[in-house]
Amino acid sequence: QVQLVESGGGLVQPGGSLRLSCAASESIVRIAAMGWYRQAPGKQRELVAVITRGGATNYADSVKGRFTISKDNAKNTVSLQMNSLKPEDTAVYYCTANYALRDYWGQGTQVTVSS
């Protein structure tokens, strides 16, 4: 099993930045892919960004150019740098990991973008 713990959420004004981090209990070099999803009230959970073991990345169109996903193999962490935040980015953000053909999820961290 893989345990994932997110941190870094909070309240930020439009145009501001936040950095989310996800700490994994397993060495992330053994994890096929890790990513971030988000779920806003009344909406389905959606993919935000993903990074593979080899470092390839993919982003939702809505966050391209504003969000950057990265990983630190030595620290077993994956981060999501979010810039130019918009009110529509408000959601609970979940870290996910695909390991041994199973998907694991963190508990989520709230991001609120509001003036």
Side-chain angles (χ1 to χ4, degrees):
Q1 281 195 338
V2 178
Q3 293 182 330
L4 304 170
V5 179
E6 302 103 333
S7 61
L11 172 65
V12 64
Q13 292 186 342
S17 298
L18 278 176
R19 185 177 181 87
L20 305 182
S21 291
C22 173
S25 62
E26 178 64 60
S27 171
I28 65 172
V29 297
R30 301 179 62 184
I31 297 176
M34 296 187 70
W36 292 90
Y37 280 71
R38 67 187 180 186
Q39 187 166 20
K43 295 187 177 181
Q44 289 188 331
R45 192 172 294 189
E46 63 175 358
L47 174 68
V48 176
V50 63
I51 186 166
T52 69
R53 180 165 44 212
T57 58
N58 194 32
Y59 297 90
D61 288 342
S62 59
V63 307
K64 283 181 180 177
R66 300 188 298 123
F67 291 10
T68 303
I69 189 170
S70 61
K71 64 189 180 82
D72 186 329
N73 291 340
K75 295 182 179 180
N76 293 326
T77 59
V78 173
S79 297
L80 184 69
Q81 178 66 41
M82 305 185 294
N83 298 328
S84 302
L85 283 161
K86 305 175 181 179
E88 50 263 43
D89 294 317
T90 296
V92 178
Y93 284 70
Y94 297 91
C95 178
T96 183
N98 182 265
Y99 174 70
L101 302 180
R102 287 186 59 183
D103 290 328
Y104 296 87
W105 296 86
Q107 80 286 354
T109 186
Q110 177 70 45
V111 171
T112 302
V113 184
S114 175
S115 55

